[in-house]
PDB file of all heavy atoms in Angstrom:
ATOM      1  N   VAL A   1     123.451 118.529  74.466  1.00 94.00           N
ATOM      2  CA  VAL A   1     122.189 117.759  74.318  1.00 94.00           C
ATOM      3  C   VAL A   1     120.996 118.516  74.887  1.00 94.00           C
ATOM      4  O   VAL A   1     119.906 118.529  74.335  1.00 94.00           O
ATOM      5  CB  VAL A   1     122.340 116.353  75.021  1.00 94.00           C
ATOM      6  CG1 VAL A   1     121.061 115.610  75.035  1.00 94.00           C
ATOM      7  CG2 VAL A   1     123.401 115.604  74.304  1.00 94.00           C
ATOM      8  N   LYS A   2     121.213 119.183  75.990  1.00 95.00           N
ATOM      9  CA  LYS A   2     120.160 119.975  76.631  1.00 95.00           C
ATOM     10  C   LYS A   2     120.501 121.494  76.513  1.00 95.00           C
ATOM     11  O   LYS A   2     121.697 121.827  76.385  1.00 95.00           O
ATOM     12  CB  LYS A   2     119.945 119.612  78.103  1.00 95.00           C
ATOM     13  CG  LYS A   2     119.391 118.208  78.272  1.00 95.00           C
ATOM     14  CD  LYS A   2     118.937 117.922  79.668  1.00 95.00           C
ATOM     15  CE  LYS A   2     117.475 118.155  79.857  1.00 95.00           C
ATOM     16  NZ  LYS A   2     117.017 117.662  81.175  1.00 95.00           N
ATOM     17  N   PRO A   3     119.517 122.386  76.565  1.00 96.00           N
ATOM     18  CA  PRO A   3     119.839 123.804  76.508  1.00 96.00           C
ATOM     19  C   PRO A   3     120.602 124.266  77.718  1.00 96.00           C
ATOM     20  O   PRO A   3     120.512 123.676  78.809  1.00 96.00           O
ATOM     21  CB  PRO A   3     118.495 124.485  76.405  1.00 96.00           C
ATOM     22  CG  PRO A   3     117.474 123.485  76.695  1.00 96.00           C
ATOM     23  CD  PRO A   3     118.111 122.117  76.652  1.00 96.00           C
ATOM     24  N   PHE A   4     121.401 125.364  77.547  1.00 97.00           N
ATOM     25  CA  PHE A   4     122.079 125.965  78.706  1.00 97.00           C
ATOM     26  C   PHE A   4     121.080 126.583  79.663  1.00 97.00           C
ATOM     27  O   PHE A   4     119.954 126.989  79.250  1.00 97.00           O
ATOM     28  CB  PHE A   4     123.053 127.066  78.239  1.00 97.00           C
ATOM     29  CG  PHE A   4     124.126 126.626  77.287  1.00 97.00           C
ATOM     30  CD1 PHE A   4     124.377 127.290  76.110  1.00 97.00           C
ATOM     31  CD2 PHE A   4     124.933 125.515  77.636  1.00 97.00           C
ATOM     32  CE1 PHE A   4     125.363 126.884  75.232  1.00 97.00           C
ATOM     33  CE2 PHE A   4     125.917 125.087  76.748  1.00 97.00           C
ATOM     34  CZ  PHE A   4     126.136 125.769  75.571  1.00 97.00           C
ATOM     35  N   ASN A   5     121.449 126.764  80.912  1.00 97.00           N
ATOM     36  CA  ASN A   5     120.651 127.537  81.841  1.00 97.00           C
ATOM     37  C   ASN A   5     120.705 129.000  81.349  1.00 97.00           C
ATOM     38  O   ASN A   5     121.799 129.629  81.374  1.00 97.00           O
ATOM     39  CB  ASN A   5     121.239 127.414  83.250  1.00 97.00           C
ATOM     40  CG  ASN A   5     120.520 128.251  84.296  1.00 97.00           C
ATOM     41  OD1 ASN A   5     119.981 129.306  83.999  1.00 97.00           O
ATOM     42  ND2 ASN A   5     120.494 127.760  85.504  1.00 97.00           N
ATOM     43  N   ALA A   6     119.585 129.556  80.905  1.00 96.00           N
ATOM     44  CA  ALA A   6     119.555 130.867  80.264  1.00 96.00           C
ATOM     45  C   ALA A   6     120.106 131.969  81.184  1.00 96.00           C
ATOM     46  O   ALA A   6     120.796 132.900  80.721  1.00 96.00           O
ATOM     47  CB  ALA A   6     118.141 131.204  79.781  1.00 96.00           C
ATOM     48  N   GLU A   7     119.742 131.880  82.464  1.00 97.00           N
ATOM     49  CA  GLU A   7     120.180 132.894  83.411  1.00 97.00           C
ATOM     50  C   GLU A   7     121.720 132.880  83.562  1.00 97.00           C
ATOM     51  O   GLU A   7     122.378 133.923  83.547  1.00 97.00           O
ATOM     52  CB  GLU A   7     119.548 132.538  84.765  1.00 97.00           C
ATOM     53  CG  GLU A   7     119.319 133.726  85.683  1.00 97.00           C
ATOM     54  CD  GLU A   7     118.650 133.244  86.978  1.00 97.00           C
ATOM     55  OE1 GLU A   7     117.504 132.755  86.904  1.00 97.00           O
ATOM     56  OE2 GLU A   7     119.318 133.339  88.035  1.00 97.00           O
ATOM     57  N   VAL A   8     122.277 131.686  83.658  1.00 97.00           N
ATOM     58  CA  VAL A   8     123.751 131.536  83.804  1.00 97.00           C
ATOM     59  C   VAL A   8     124.423 131.970  82.505  1.00 97.00           C
ATOM     60  O   VAL A   8     125.444 132.659  82.509  1.00 97.00           O
ATOM     61  CB  VAL A   8     124.100 130.042  84.129  1.00 97.00           C
ATOM     62  CG1 VAL A   8     125.613 129.842  84.050  1.00 97.00           C
ATOM     63  CG2 VAL A   8     123.616 129.727  85.509  1.00 97.00           C
ATOM     64  N   GLN A   9     123.862 131.608  81.377  1.00 97.00           N
ATOM     65  CA  GLN A   9     124.415 131.971  80.073  1.00 97.00           C
ATOM     66  C   GLN A   9     124.509 133.518  79.979  1.00 97.00           C
ATOM     67  O   GLN A   9     125.527 134.060  79.535  1.00 97.00           O
ATOM     68  CB  GLN A   9     123.590 131.411  78.941  1.00 97.00           C
ATOM     69  CG  GLN A   9     124.232 131.605  77.567  1.00 97.00           C
ATOM     70  CD  GLN A   9     123.397 131.053  76.400  1.00 97.00           C
ATOM     71  OE1 GLN A   9     122.192 130.989  76.499  1.00 97.00           O
ATOM     72  NE2 GLN A   9     124.052 130.632  75.326  1.00 97.00           N
ATOM     73  N   LYS A  10     123.463 134.194  80.377  1.00 96.00           N
ATOM     74  CA  LYS A  10     123.426 135.669  80.308  1.00 96.00           C
ATOM     75  C   LYS A  10     124.512 136.282  81.218  1.00 96.00           C
ATOM     76  O   LYS A  10     125.222 137.225  80.866  1.00 96.00           O
ATOM     77  CB  LYS A  10     122.066 136.216  80.678  1.00 96.00           C
ATOM     78  CG  LYS A  10     121.945 137.711  80.487  1.00 96.00           C
ATOM     79  CD  LYS A  10     120.539 138.166  80.171  1.00 96.00           C
ATOM     80  CE  LYS A  10     120.435 139.684  80.019  1.00 96.00           C
ATOM     81  NZ  LYS A  10     121.146 140.189  78.850  1.00 96.00           N
ATOM     82  N   LYS A  11     124.618 135.665  82.415  1.00 96.00           N
ATOM     83  CA  LYS A  11     125.618 136.165  83.367  1.00 96.00           C
ATOM     84  C   LYS A  11     127.061 135.996  82.794  1.00 96.00           C
ATOM     85  O   LYS A  11     127.918 136.825  83.013  1.00 96.00           O
ATOM     86  CB  LYS A  11     125.488 135.369  84.675  1.00 96.00           C
ATOM     87  CG  LYS A  11     126.282 135.967  85.825  1.00 96.00           C
ATOM     88  CD  LYS A  11     125.938 135.350  87.156  1.00 96.00           C
ATOM     89  CE  LYS A  11     126.680 136.054  88.291  1.00 96.00           C
ATOM     90  NZ  LYS A  11     126.390 135.456  89.601  1.00 96.00           N
ATOM     91  N   ILE A  12     127.284 134.918  82.050  1.00 97.00           N
ATOM     92  CA  ILE A  12     128.605 134.634  81.507  1.00 97.00           C
ATOM     93  C   ILE A  12     128.936 135.387  80.234  1.00 97.00           C
ATOM     94  O   ILE A  12     130.031 135.926  80.078  1.00 97.00           O
ATOM     95  CB  ILE A  12     128.781 133.121  81.342  1.00 97.00           C
ATOM     96  CG1 ILE A  12     128.899 132.403  82.698  1.00 97.00           C
ATOM     97  CG2 ILE A  12     130.014 132.813  80.483  1.00 97.00           C
ATOM     98  CD1 ILE A  12     129.013 130.875  82.615  1.00 97.00           C
ATOM     99  N   ILE A  13     127.971 135.447  79.301  1.00 97.00           N
ATOM    100  CA  ILE A  13     128.316 136.079  77.994  1.00 97.00           C
ATOM    101  C   ILE A  13     127.597 137.387  77.736  1.00 97.00           C
ATOM    102  O   ILE A  13     127.740 138.019  76.666  1.00 97.00           O
ATOM    103  CB  ILE A  13     128.090 135.109  76.804  1.00 97.00           C
ATOM    104  CG1 ILE A  13     126.573 134.791  76.624  1.00 97.00           C
ATOM    105  CG2 ILE A  13     128.893 133.836  76.923  1.00 97.00           C
ATOM    106  CD1 ILE A  13     126.293 134.044  75.328  1.00 97.00           C
ATOM    107  N   GLY A  14     126.727 137.833  78.704  1.00 96.00           N
ATOM    108  CA  GLY A  14     126.032 139.107  78.554  1.00 96.00           C
ATOM    109  C   GLY A  14     125.083 139.104  77.351  1.00 96.00           C
ATOM    110  O   GLY A  14     124.288 138.125  77.155  1.00 96.00           O
ATOM    111  N   ASP A  15     125.167 140.117  76.517  1.00 95.00           N
ATOM    112  CA  ASP A  15     124.266 140.235  75.383  1.00 95.00           C
ATOM    113  C   ASP A  15     124.845 139.684  74.071  1.00 95.00           C
ATOM    114  O   ASP A  15     124.269 139.881  72.986  1.00 95.00           O
ATOM    115  CB  ASP A  15     123.849 141.701  75.187  1.00 95.00           C
ATOM    116  CG  ASP A  15     123.031 142.217  76.372  1.00 95.00           C
ATOM    117  OD1 ASP A  15     122.250 141.437  76.902  1.00 95.00           O
ATOM    118  OD2 ASP A  15     123.236 143.401  76.765  1.00 95.00           O
ATOM    119  N   ALA A  16     126.022 139.017  74.180  1.00 96.00           N
ATOM    120  CA  ALA A  16     126.602 138.471  72.925  1.00 96.00           C
ATOM    121  C   ALA A  16     125.706 137.408  72.352  1.00 96.00           C
ATOM    122  O   ALA A  16     124.956 136.724  73.083  1.00 96.00           O
ATOM    123  CB  ALA A  16     127.982 137.843  73.294  1.00 96.00           C
ATOM    124  N   THR A  17     125.717 137.310  71.013  1.00 96.00           N
ATOM    125  CA  THR A  17     124.880 136.330  70.321  1.00 96.00           C
ATOM    126  C   THR A  17     125.625 135.017  70.143  1.00 96.00           C
ATOM    127  O   THR A  17     126.654 135.003  69.455  1.00 96.00           O
ATOM    128  CB  THR A  17     124.429 136.874  68.952  1.00 96.00           C
ATOM    129  OG1 THR A  17     123.838 138.146  69.131  1.00 96.00           O
ATOM    130  CG2 THR A  17     123.392 135.922  68.302  1.00 96.00           C
ATOM    131  N   PRO A  18     125.158 133.938  70.748  1.00 96.00           N
ATOM    132  CA  PRO A  18     125.878 132.626  70.605  1.00 96.00           C
ATOM    133  C   PRO A  18     125.756 132.127  69.176  1.00 96.00           C
ATOM    134  O   PRO A  18     124.830 132.440  68.467  1.00 96.00           O
ATOM    135  CB  PRO A  18     125.136 131.701  71.540  1.00 96.00           C
ATOM    136  CG  PRO A  18     124.185 132.521  72.310  1.00 96.00           C
ATOM    137  CD  PRO A  18     123.945 133.804  71.584  1.00 96.00           C
ATOM    138  N   ILE A  19     126.776 131.337  68.784  1.00 95.00           N
ATOM    139  CA  ILE A  19     126.728 130.753  67.434  1.00 95.00           C
ATOM    140  C   ILE A  19     125.904 129.463  67.467  1.00 95.00           C
ATOM    141  O   ILE A  19     125.893 128.755  68.471  1.00 95.00           O
ATOM    142  CB  ILE A  19     128.157 130.492  66.866  1.00 95.00           C
ATOM    143  CG1 ILE A  19     128.914 129.432  67.665  1.00 95.00           C
ATOM    144  CG2 ILE A  19     128.954 131.787  66.797  1.00 95.00           C
ATOM    145  CD1 ILE A  19     130.142 128.905  67.005  1.00 95.00           C
ATOM    146  N   THR A  20     125.274 129.164  66.365  1.00 95.00           N
ATOM    147  CA  THR A  20     124.441 127.953  66.342  1.00 95.00           C
ATOM    148  C   THR A  20     124.943 126.976  65.203  1.00 95.00           C
ATOM    149  O   THR A  20     124.476 125.844  65.123  1.00 95.00           O
ATOM    150  CB  THR A  20     122.961 128.278  66.081  1.00 95.00           C
ATOM    151  OG1 THR A  20     122.896 129.104  64.925  1.00 95.00           O
ATOM    152  CG2 THR A  20     122.392 128.993  67.274  1.00 95.00           C
ATOM    153  N   CYS A  21     125.884 127.514  64.351  1.00 96.00           N
ATOM    154  CA  CYS A  21     126.321 126.613  63.256  1.00 96.00           C
ATOM    155  C   CYS A  21     127.431 125.711  63.789  1.00 96.00           C
ATOM    156  O   CYS A  21     127.806 125.781  64.948  1.00 96.00           O
ATOM    157  CB  CYS A  21     126.892 127.481  62.142  1.00 96.00           C
ATOM    158  SG  CYS A  21     128.369 128.420  62.615  1.00 96.00           S
ATOM    159  N   ARG A  22     127.930 124.805  62.907  1.00 97.00           N
ATOM    160  CA  ARG A  22     129.068 123.986  63.262  1.00 97.00           C
ATOM    161  C   ARG A  22     130.229 124.931  63.530  1.00 97.00           C
ATOM    162  O   ARG A  22     130.580 125.753  62.633  1.00 97.00           O
ATOM    163  CB  ARG A  22     129.375 123.017  62.100  1.00 97.00           C
ATOM    164  CG  ARG A  22     130.551 122.058  62.371  1.00 97.00           C
ATOM    165  CD  ARG A  22     130.805 121.234  61.089  1.00 97.00           C
ATOM    166  NE  ARG A  22     131.503 121.969  60.121  1.00 97.00           N
ATOM    167  CZ  ARG A  22     132.746 121.759  59.696  1.00 97.00           C
ATOM    168  NH1 ARG A  22     133.468 120.774  60.250  1.00 97.00           N
ATOM    169  NH2 ARG A  22     133.308 122.471  58.779  1.00 97.00           N
ATOM    170  N   PRO A  23     130.888 124.917  64.693  1.00 96.00           N
ATOM    171  CA  PRO A  23     131.901 125.940  64.989  1.00 96.00           C
ATOM    172  C   PRO A  23     132.981 126.065  63.886  1.00 96.00           C
ATOM    173  O   PRO A  23     133.437 127.205  63.622  1.00 96.00           O
ATOM    174  CB  PRO A  23     132.476 125.460  66.323  1.00 96.00           C
ATOM    175  CG  PRO A  23     131.379 124.673  66.941  1.00 96.00           C
ATOM    176  CD  PRO A  23     130.615 124.021  65.816  1.00 96.00           C
ATOM    177  N   ALA A  24     133.403 124.976  63.332  1.00 96.00           N
ATOM    178  CA  ALA A  24     134.510 125.024  62.351  1.00 96.00           C
ATOM    179  C   ALA A  24     134.122 125.766  61.070  1.00 96.00           C
ATOM    180  O   ALA A  24     134.990 126.192  60.293  1.00 96.00           O
ATOM    181  CB  ALA A  24     135.017 123.626  62.007  1.00 96.00           C
ATOM    182  N   ASP A  25     132.821 125.937  60.830  1.00 97.00           N
ATOM    183  CA  ASP A  25     132.388 126.681  59.632  1.00 97.00           C
ATOM    184  C   ASP A  25     132.867 128.148  59.696  1.00 97.00           C
ATOM    185  O   ASP A  25     132.936 128.849  58.682  1.00 97.00           O
ATOM    186  CB  ASP A  25     130.848 126.661  59.526  1.00 97.00           C
ATOM    187  CG  ASP A  25     130.322 125.291  59.104  1.00 97.00           C
ATOM    188  OD1 ASP A  25     131.124 124.509  58.555  1.00 97.00           O
ATOM    189  OD2 ASP A  25     129.138 125.046  59.279  1.00 97.00           O
ATOM    190  N   LEU A  26     133.165 128.607  60.920  1.00 96.00           N
ATOM    191  CA  LEU A  26     133.616 129.996  61.095  1.00 96.00           C
ATOM    192  C   LEU A  26     135.137 130.167  61.049  1.00 96.00           C
ATOM    193  O   LEU A  26     135.636 131.229  61.252  1.00 96.00           O
ATOM    194  CB  LEU A  26     133.038 130.542  62.405  1.00 96.00           C
ATOM    195  CG  LEU A  26     131.529 130.509  62.521  1.00 96.00           C
ATOM    196  CD1 LEU A  26     131.109 130.947  63.942  1.00 96.00           C
ATOM    197  CD2 LEU A  26     130.831 131.332  61.507  1.00 96.00           C
ATOM    198  N   ILE A  27     135.833 128.983  60.927  1.00 97.00           N
ATOM    199  CA  ILE A  27     137.340 129.089  60.939  1.00 97.00           C
ATOM    200  C   ILE A  27     137.862 129.019  59.504  1.00 97.00           C
ATOM    201  O   ILE A  27     137.630 128.072  58.777  1.00 97.00           O
ATOM    202  CB  ILE A  27     137.909 127.940  61.781  1.00 97.00           C
ATOM    203  CG1 ILE A  27     137.255 127.853  63.188  1.00 97.00           C
ATOM    204  CG2 ILE A  27     139.421 128.098  61.943  1.00 97.00           C
ATOM    205  CD1 ILE A  27     137.683 126.650  64.025  1.00 97.00           C
ATOM    206  N   GLU A  28     138.612 130.062  59.163  1.00 97.00           N
ATOM    207  CA  GLU A  28     139.267 130.081  57.840  1.00 97.00           C
ATOM    208  C   GLU A  28     140.362 129.029  57.798  1.00 97.00           C
ATOM    209  O   GLU A  28     140.929 128.623  58.810  1.00 97.00           O
ATOM    210  CB  GLU A  28     139.936 131.470  57.665  1.00 97.00           C
ATOM    211  CG  GLU A  28     138.953 132.628  57.518  1.00 97.00           C
ATOM    212  CD  GLU A  28     138.132 132.594  56.251  1.00 97.00           C
ATOM    213  OE1 GLU A  28     138.702 132.221  55.181  1.00 97.00           O
ATOM    214  OE2 GLU A  28     136.914 132.905  56.325  1.00 97.00           O
ATOM    215  N   PRO A  29     140.761 128.585  56.566  1.00 98.00           N
ATOM    216  CA  PRO A  29     141.893 127.624  56.450  1.00 98.00           C
ATOM    217  C   PRO A  29     143.107 128.116  57.215  1.00 98.00           C
ATOM    218  O   PRO A  29     143.460 129.330  57.157  1.00 98.00           O
ATOM    219  CB  PRO A  29     142.149 127.557  54.948  1.00 98.00           C
ATOM    220  CG  PRO A  29     140.816 127.869  54.322  1.00 98.00           C
ATOM    221  CD  PRO A  29     140.178 128.878  55.249  1.00 98.00           C
ATOM    222  N   GLU A  30     143.754 127.237  57.947  1.00 98.00           N
ATOM    223  CA  GLU A  30     144.891 127.646  58.828  1.00 98.00           C
ATOM    224  C   GLU A  30     146.217 127.088  58.391  1.00 98.00           C
ATOM    225  O   GLU A  30     147.267 127.580  58.862  1.00 98.00           O
ATOM    226  CB  GLU A  30     144.601 127.147  60.240  1.00 98.00           C
ATOM    227  CG  GLU A  30     143.410 127.814  60.920  1.00 98.00           C
ATOM    228  CD  GLU A  30     143.129 127.202  62.269  1.00 98.00           C
ATOM    229  OE1 GLU A  30     142.904 125.979  62.354  1.00 98.00           O
ATOM    230  OE2 GLU A  30     143.116 127.949  63.270  1.00 98.00           O
ATOM    231  N   LEU A  31     146.249 126.062  57.548  1.00 98.00           N
ATOM    232  CA  LEU A  31     147.562 125.401  57.201  1.00 98.00           C
ATOM    233  C   LEU A  31     148.592 126.364  56.660  1.00 98.00           C
ATOM    234  O   LEU A  31     149.762 126.329  57.085  1.00 98.00           O
ATOM    235  CB  LEU A  31     147.346 124.246  56.237  1.00 98.00           C
ATOM    236  CG  LEU A  31     147.199 122.861  56.799  1.00 98.00           C
ATOM    237  CD1 LEU A  31     147.027 121.828  55.723  1.00 98.00           C
ATOM    238  CD2 LEU A  31     148.410 122.506  57.700  1.00 98.00           C
ATOM    239  N   PRO A  32     148.214 127.253  55.668  1.00 98.00           N
ATOM    240  CA  PRO A  32     149.259 128.152  55.145  1.00 98.00           C
ATOM    241  C   PRO A  32     149.924 128.999  56.206  1.00 98.00           C
ATOM    242  O   PRO A  32     151.155 129.192  56.212  1.00 98.00           O
ATOM    243  CB  PRO A  32     148.441 129.039  54.146  1.00 98.00           C
ATOM    244  CG  PRO A  32     147.280 128.214  53.796  1.00 98.00           C
ATOM    245  CD  PRO A  32     146.937 127.443  55.007  1.00 98.00           C
ATOM    246  N   LYS A  33     149.155 129.480  57.175  1.00 98.00           N
ATOM    247  CA  LYS A  33     149.686 130.278  58.295  1.00 98.00           C
ATOM    248  C   LYS A  33     150.654 129.473  59.132  1.00 98.00           C
ATOM    249  O   LYS A  33     151.750 129.883  59.442  1.00 98.00           O
ATOM    250  CB  LYS A  33     148.520 130.768  59.133  1.00 98.00           C
ATOM    251  CG  LYS A  33     148.931 131.583  60.390  1.00 98.00           C
ATOM    252  CD  LYS A  33     147.760 131.864  61.299  1.00 98.00           C
ATOM    253  CE  LYS A  33     147.426 130.668  62.148  1.00 98.00           C
ATOM    254  NZ  LYS A  33     146.572 130.947  63.313  1.00 98.00           N
ATOM    255  N   PHE A  34     150.291 128.195  59.463  1.00 98.00           N
ATOM    256  CA  PHE A  34     151.160 127.357  60.270  1.00 98.00           C
ATOM    257  C   PHE A  34     152.431 126.995  59.490  1.00 98.00           C
ATOM    258  O   PHE A  34     153.504 126.939  60.082  1.00 98.00           O
ATOM    259  CB  PHE A  34     150.407 126.077  60.711  1.00 98.00           C
ATOM    260  CG  PHE A  34     149.302 126.341  61.702  1.00 98.00           C
ATOM    261  CD1 PHE A  34     148.071 125.745  61.537  1.00 98.00           C
ATOM    262  CD2 PHE A  34     149.490 127.179  62.772  1.00 98.00           C
ATOM    263  CE1 PHE A  34     147.021 125.931  62.443  1.00 98.00           C
ATOM    264  CE2 PHE A  34     148.448 127.405  63.701  1.00 98.00           C
ATOM    265  CZ  PHE A  34     147.232 126.793  63.525  1.00 98.00           C
ATOM    266  N   GLU A  35     152.282 126.728  58.236  1.00 98.00           N
ATOM    267  CA  GLU A  35     153.450 126.446  57.346  1.00 98.00           C
ATOM    268  C   GLU A  35     154.457 127.568  57.422  1.00 98.00           C
ATOM    269  O   GLU A  35     155.668 127.330  57.577  1.00 98.00           O
ATOM    270  CB  GLU A  35     153.026 126.249  55.904  1.00 98.00           C
ATOM    271  CG  GLU A  35     152.308 124.916  55.579  1.00 98.00           C
ATOM    272  CD  GLU A  35     153.231 123.759  55.335  1.00 98.00           C
ATOM    273  OE1 GLU A  35     154.466 123.912  55.542  1.00 98.00           O
ATOM    274  OE2 GLU A  35     152.718 122.679  54.978  1.00 98.00           O
ATOM    275  N   LYS A  36     153.937 128.781  57.314  1.00 97.00           N
ATOM    276  CA  LYS A  36     154.817 129.961  57.302  1.00 97.00           C
ATOM    277  C   LYS A  36     155.546 130.144  58.635  1.00 97.00           C
ATOM    278  O   LYS A  36     156.717 130.329  58.731  1.00 97.00           O
ATOM    279  CB  LYS A  36     153.924 131.189  57.001  1.00 97.00           C
ATOM    280  CG  LYS A  36     154.698 132.403  56.537  1.00 97.00           C
ATOM    281  CD  LYS A  36     153.734 133.499  56.129  1.00 97.00           C
ATOM    282  CE  LYS A  36     154.492 134.780  55.817  1.00 97.00           C
ATOM    283  NZ  LYS A  36     153.543 135.890  55.576  1.00 97.00           N
ATOM    284  N   GLU A  37     154.766 130.024  59.725  1.00 97.00           N
ATOM    285  CA  GLU A  37     155.303 130.218  61.089  1.00 97.00           C
ATOM    286  C   GLU A  37     156.343 129.138  61.458  1.00 97.00           C
ATOM    287  O   GLU A  37     157.236 129.380  62.241  1.00 97.00           O
ATOM    288  CB  GLU A  37     154.166 130.231  62.115  1.00 97.00           C
ATOM    289  CG  GLU A  37     153.287 131.480  62.043  1.00 97.00           C
ATOM    290  CD  GLU A  37     152.113 131.369  63.001  1.00 97.00           C
ATOM    291  OE1 GLU A  37     152.082 130.494  63.835  1.00 97.00           O
ATOM    292  OE2 GLU A  37     151.152 132.193  62.841  1.00 97.00           O
ATOM    293  N   CYS A  38     156.125 127.953  60.876  1.00 96.00           N
ATOM    294  CA  CYS A  38     156.971 126.833  61.263  1.00 96.00           C
ATOM    295  C   CYS A  38     158.171 126.612  60.309  1.00 96.00           C
ATOM    296  O   CYS A  38     159.055 125.797  60.591  1.00 96.00           O
ATOM    297  CB  CYS A  38     156.082 125.575  61.269  1.00 96.00           C
ATOM    298  SG  CYS A  38     156.844 124.057  61.718  1.00 96.00           S
ATOM    299  N   ALA A  39     158.238 127.371  59.221  1.00 97.00           N
ATOM    300  CA  ALA A  39     159.228 127.195  58.176  1.00 97.00           C
ATOM    301  C   ALA A  39     160.649 126.969  58.642  1.00 97.00           C
ATOM    302  O   ALA A  39     161.376 126.090  58.186  1.00 97.00           O
ATOM    303  CB  ALA A  39     159.163 128.323  57.173  1.00 97.00           C
ATOM    304  N   GLN A  40     161.124 127.811  59.614  1.00 96.00           N
ATOM    305  CA  GLN A  40     162.524 127.735  60.008  1.00 96.00           C
ATOM    306  C   GLN A  40     162.829 126.460  60.786  1.00 96.00           C
ATOM    307  O   GLN A  40     164.035 126.056  60.884  1.00 96.00           O
ATOM    308  CB  GLN A  40     162.872 128.962  60.877  1.00 96.00           C
ATOM    309  CG  GLN A  40     162.270 128.992  62.241  1.00 96.00           C
ATOM    310  CD  GLN A  40     162.669 130.187  63.013  1.00 96.00           C
ATOM    311  OE1 GLN A  40     161.906 131.103  63.208  1.00 96.00           O
ATOM    312  NE2 GLN A  40     163.929 130.167  63.526  1.00 96.00           N
ATOM    313  N   TRP A  41     161.823 125.796  61.345  1.00 96.00           N
ATOM    314  CA  TRP A  41     162.060 124.576  62.126  1.00 96.00           C
ATOM    315  C   TRP A  41     161.781 123.293  61.365  1.00 96.00           C
ATOM    316  O   TRP A  41     162.151 122.201  61.800  1.00 96.00           O
ATOM    317  CB  TRP A  41     161.154 124.552  63.378  1.00 96.00           C
ATOM    318  CG  TRP A  41     161.213 125.849  64.158  1.00 96.00           C
ATOM    319  CD1 TRP A  41     160.260 126.785  64.232  1.00 96.00           C
ATOM    320  CD2 TRP A  41     162.258 126.289  64.998  1.00 96.00           C
ATOM    321  NE1 TRP A  41     160.657 127.803  65.022  1.00 96.00           N
ATOM    322  CE2 TRP A  41     161.900 127.531  65.533  1.00 96.00           C
ATOM    323  CE3 TRP A  41     163.540 125.798  65.310  1.00 96.00           C
ATOM    324  CZ2 TRP A  41     162.667 128.267  66.365  1.00 96.00           C
ATOM    325  CZ3 TRP A  41     164.372 126.515  66.197  1.00 96.00           C
ATOM    326  CH2 TRP A  41     163.913 127.741  66.700  1.00 96.00           C
ATOM    327  N   LYS A  42     161.106 123.414  60.257  1.00 97.00           N
ATOM    328  CA  LYS A  42     160.565 122.230  59.587  1.00 97.00           C
ATOM    329  C   LYS A  42     161.651 121.305  59.001  1.00 97.00           C
ATOM    330  O   LYS A  42     162.466 121.681  58.182  1.00 97.00           O
ATOM    331  CB  LYS A  42     159.630 122.706  58.455  1.00 97.00           C
ATOM    332  CG  LYS A  42     158.872 121.592  57.769  1.00 97.00           C
ATOM    333  CD  LYS A  42     157.887 122.169  56.759  1.00 97.00           C
ATOM    334  CE  LYS A  42     157.404 121.055  55.804  1.00 97.00           C
ATOM    335  NZ  LYS A  42     156.515 121.582  54.778  1.00 97.00           N
ATOM    336  N   GLN A  43     161.618 120.031  59.483  1.00 97.00           N
ATOM    337  CA  GLN A  43     162.530 118.999  58.891  1.00 97.00           C
ATOM    338  C   GLN A  43     161.700 117.926  58.210  1.00 97.00           C
ATOM    339  O   GLN A  43     162.255 117.125  57.465  1.00 97.00           O
ATOM    340  CB  GLN A  43     163.311 118.358  60.056  1.00 97.00           C
ATOM    341  CG  GLN A  43     164.351 119.344  60.659  1.00 97.00           C
ATOM    342  CD  GLN A  43     165.196 118.596  61.691  1.00 97.00           C
ATOM    343  OE1 GLN A  43     165.184 117.354  61.829  1.00 97.00           O
ATOM    344  NE2 GLN A  43     165.999 119.363  62.438  1.00 97.00           N
TER     345      GLN A  43
END
């Protein structure tokens, strides 16, 4: 709701560029991967 403390943010993430979009927009579909990894256990 409020901005981060800029000084603290810099101390924690350095010069990395923070994301501003909805975080899930950057996540590729994951179900196929989980299906594959779980195949031997799936009942």
Side-chain angles (χ1 to χ4, degrees):
V1 174
K2 292 191 97 171
F4 299 130
N5 177 329
E7 208 179 295
V8 170
Q9 188 181 29
K10 185 153 179 66
K11 192 169 183 180
I12 289 178
I13 66 170
D15 294 324
T17 308
I19 65 167
T20 53
C21 65
R22 182 184 76 111
D25 288 342
L26 303 174
I27 307 173
E28 293 291 322
E30 295 175 302
L31 264 181
K33 177 188 78 164
F34 292 135
E35 286 277 8
K36 199 174 173 186
E37 288 174 13
C38 180
Q40 71 180 105
W41 310 107
K42 186 175 164 183
Q43 290 185 12

